[in-house]
Each structure stands twice: as C-alpha cells, then as structure tokens.
C-alpha cells in the first residue's frame, strides 16, 4: 500500500481498484472496499472503505477530481472512510471539491451527520492554516422500488449512473448495484456491490455490460474461520457469509448470464488470497460453462483500462 503505482495510460478511462478486501475486520496491508471509475480525469468513487484517502493518494488520483461518491449499502466496510475523506480531502492540496454522496436511504442523513463531533477540528483549521471554508457534502437517498427495477441516480457530462437493488442478506434492507454508462465511449461498467449470486436484478442491470466488477468469496474457507470463533458468533458469521455473498465458483456463470464481456473480482472474503489463487478457482468454473470473457483477479491499486 505504500509504493506509488504506475498507471499504464494516465489519460485513458479506467477503473482503479483502490481497495478490494471485503468485510469489517481489518488486516495489515489490505485496503477496504473502494473503487474509482475515472472518466476524462473525473473520479467517481464507488464505496469508501477506511483506506480510501490514502489509496487515492497512492494511486496518484488525489481528491480534486472527485465528482461523486456512490455507496452500495450501509455496511461499515463500505463507509468508514467517509469522515476521513471529507476531512483530509478538505486539507489536501488541491482539495476535495464540494461533493455529493448517493446511496440507499440513510445516505442523506449520513452526509449531514458524518462530521458531527468534529466541529472544533473544522473550526480550528478554518480559523488558520490556509485551508479555507469547509463545505459539507450533499447527501441523496436513492430510492429503488422493493420489486426492483433500474432507477436513474445521477448524470453529468461524462457518465449516466443508474442503480438497482440486489439481495445482500435479510438484515440489509437496501443494497444496490450501480451501472455507469460512459457518454464519450459508450462503455458500460457495472459494480455489483455486496450480493449473493445469482441475483436477477443484477443480471438485468449488467446485461451486455463491458465490465462487471463483482464481489468474490471463497466459500471453502468459511467453515474453518467460523470454527475458530466462540459460539454463537461462528454460526452467525457462517450464516451471513453463505446467504449474503457470492462464491467465486458462481461468478463466471453470473457473467455469462449477463453477457458481460469482462469479469473483474473485488471485495474478497473471507480471506485475502493472492490473485492467482482466485483465478485458479474461477478458471475451471468458467471453462465448464464456456464463459469466454476475460476474468481479472486484481489486487489493490490495480488499474483496469476501459
Ligand atoms: Zn462488504
Ligand atoms: Zn456488505
């Protein structure tokens, strides 16, 4: 996480995998979920895990280009980097511009309350240090009907963003996948968010996409990890992981079903295997069903050109 990564073509549209380690338990040298879609140098953030600010700097993206933040759901591995992003984005040179946060219901309230308790810190550097006035983010609740469907989220010069709801366990009322359609090139990128394969709404929003970025789980590691936890936490964890996430073995079929041209893994749980291990699990599954699209198992800070 410390070296500065070389980007293959700084000018091209791309996805930067800022953090690909899923779940709320921190591990050394593993960055939590955050993905950056870069279009014409504008940065669209999908989720904002703890390490987002540091990863933006290490990736060479910085804060000034951020046009919006899209939260897939309110699990803390996807949101705990928000306060730090706003505070350190404000003091960055050049700084984070006034930013909008979209997400499931609760996003609007979250945006206004994120820095409750930091009034003194903000006031101190507004009074001195040359950082200017702090601008609070604007939050937007994205409403997707319970029966599903694809709803518009946001549109600007570069992209059109839409969302649908995906199943992510019964306790998560609202979990979203996002589709970004790039206006200049016609490329379509879909981010699954956290979800359990196979999800019919995800298949619909991902239909024919150029890149499907999908969460990824090694189900074979779950029993071992759950066995190491005291009762009943092990059983609770096992239930959540099996019913709310997607086995890597199912992902080629998800991509095949959606006619996705490329499948990119993200949000690895419950273990952080090296990329080659994830690929070794997925490749036979892809061959068995004849999925011909490219499959990429990135590590943090890897760049996927569009
Ligand atoms: Zn997650
Ligand atoms: Zn989650």
């Amino acid at each position: 996480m410390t070296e500065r990564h070389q980007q293959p073509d700084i000018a091209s549209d791309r996805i930067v995998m800022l953090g690909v380690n899923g779940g709320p338990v921190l591990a050394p040298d593993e960055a939590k979920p955050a993905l950056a879609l870069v279009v014409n140098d504008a940065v669209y953030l999908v989720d904002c895990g703890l390490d987002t600010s540091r990863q933006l700097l290490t990736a060479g993206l910085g804060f000034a280009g951020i046009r919006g933040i899209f939260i897939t759901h309110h699990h803390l591995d996807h949101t705990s980097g928000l306060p730090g992003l706003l505070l350190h984005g404000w003091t960055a040179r050049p700084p984070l511009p006034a930013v909008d946060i979209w997400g499931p219901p609760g996003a609007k309230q979250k945006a206004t309350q994120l820095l409750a308790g930091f009034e003194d810190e903000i006031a101190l550097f507004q009074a001195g240090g040359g950082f200017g006035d702090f601008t609070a983010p604007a939050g937007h609740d994205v409403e997707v009907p319970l029966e599903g469907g694809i709803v518009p989220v946001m549109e600007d010069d570069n992209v059109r963003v839409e969302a649908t709801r995906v199943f992510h366990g019964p306790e998560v009322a609202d979990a979203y996948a996002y589709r970004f359609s790039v206006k200049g090139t016609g490329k379509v990128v879909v981010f699954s968010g956290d979800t359990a394969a196979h999800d019919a709404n995800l298949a619909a929003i991902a239909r024919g996409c150029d890149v499907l970025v999908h969460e990824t789980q090694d189900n074979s590691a779950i029993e071992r990890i759950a066995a190491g936890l005291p009762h009943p936490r092990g059983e609770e964890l096992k239930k959540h992981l099996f019913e709310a996430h997607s086995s890597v073995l199912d992902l080629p079929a998800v991509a095949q079903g959606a006619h996705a041209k490329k499948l990119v893994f993200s949000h690895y749980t419950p273990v952080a295997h090296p990329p080659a291990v994830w690929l070794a699990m997925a490749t036979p599954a892809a061959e068995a069903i004849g999925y011909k699209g490219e499959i990429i198992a990135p590590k943090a800070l890897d760049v996927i050109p569009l």
Side-chain angles (χ1 to χ4, degrees):
M1 288 195 348
T2 50
E3 89 215 66
R4 180 173 286 264
H5 271 234
Q6 292 296 319
Q7 303 199 7
D9 179 356
I10 203 76
S12 66
D13 296 344
R14 60 205 185 273
I15 305 164
V16 183
M17 310 296 288
L18 296 174
V20 293
N21 179 242
V25 182
L26 295 179
D29 299 324
E30 297 290 344
K32 287 297 167 183
L35 305 168
L37 174 66
V38 186
V39 178
N40 293 330
D41 292 330
V43 177
Y44 304 85
L45 266 185
V46 177
D47 287 325
C48 191
L50 179 69
D51 312 279
T52 305
S53 295
R54 175 74 58 196
Q55 296 297 82
L56 283 165
L57 293 176
T58 308
L61 292 174
F63 298 90
I66 294 177
R67 291 276 188 96
I69 302 170
F70 302 84
I71 299 298
T72 58
H73 63 298
H74 296 296
H75 269 151
L76 71 87
D77 46 324
H78 300 255
T79 57
S80 68
L82 282 168
L85 181 85
L86 296 173
L87 292 167
H88 293 286
W90 170 44
T91 59
R93 298 190 173 103
L96 177 72
V99 72
D100 291 81
I101 300 172
W102 286 268
K108 184 172 182 180
Q109 186 184 31
K110 182 176 261 100
T112 55
Q113 295 183 348
L114 264 175
L115 296 180
F118 283 90
E119 291 86 354
D120 288 346
E121 284 84 345
I122 291 170
L124 280 170
F125 277 143
Q126 281 191 147
F131 300 111
D133 287 336
F134 177 82
T135 305
H140 309 273
D141 288 350
V142 177
E143 307 274 358
V144 181
L146 281 177
E147 63 270 24
I150 297 170
V151 302
V153 175
M154 172 270 210
E155 183 168 354
D156 67 7
D157 294 347
N158 295 316
V159 294
R160 189 173 73 250
V161 188
E162 298 157 296
T164 194
R165 65 173 58 252
V166 292
F167 180 74
H168 182 36
E171 76 277 20
V172 181
D174 303 289
Y176 292 172
Y178 289 104
R179 175 166 70 192
F180 288 73
S181 303
V182 179
K183 291 182 174 178
T185 61
K187 291 290 172 80
V188 176
V189 180
V190 172
F191 299 93
S192 73
D194 285 12
T195 188
H198 293 259
D199 187 282
N201 291 345
L202 179 69
I205 203 170
R207 184 156 303 280
C209 70
D210 293 281
V211 183
L212 172 60
V213 182
H214 202 293
E215 72 124 272
T216 309
Q217 180 163 268
D218 176 7
N219 282 12
S220 71
I222 292 174
E223 294 282 356
R224 175 173 52 80
I225 289 172
L229 293 174
H231 180 81
R233 284 183 48 214
E235 288 72 25
E236 289 168 3
L237 178 71
K238 206 161 76 179
K239 181 173 183 298
H240 168 73
L241 291 176
F242 275 125
E243 76 182 358
H245 291 282
S246 297
S247 167
V248 63
L249 303 178
D250 289 333
L251 298 189
V254 171
Q256 176 99 307
H259 304 286
K261 298 183 183 74
K262 190 180 289 189
L263 171 64
V264 177
F265 295 161
S266 183
H267 195 285
Y268 299 119
T269 56
V271 283
H273 293 307
V277 173
W278 292 110
L279 270 185
M281 287 188 275
T283 301
E287 288 169 353
I289 60 163
Y291 178 63
K292 298 281 190 283
E294 185 181 4
I295 300 177
I296 300 173
K299 58 187 184 309
L301 297 172
D302 277 358
V303 176
I304 317 292
L306 285 190

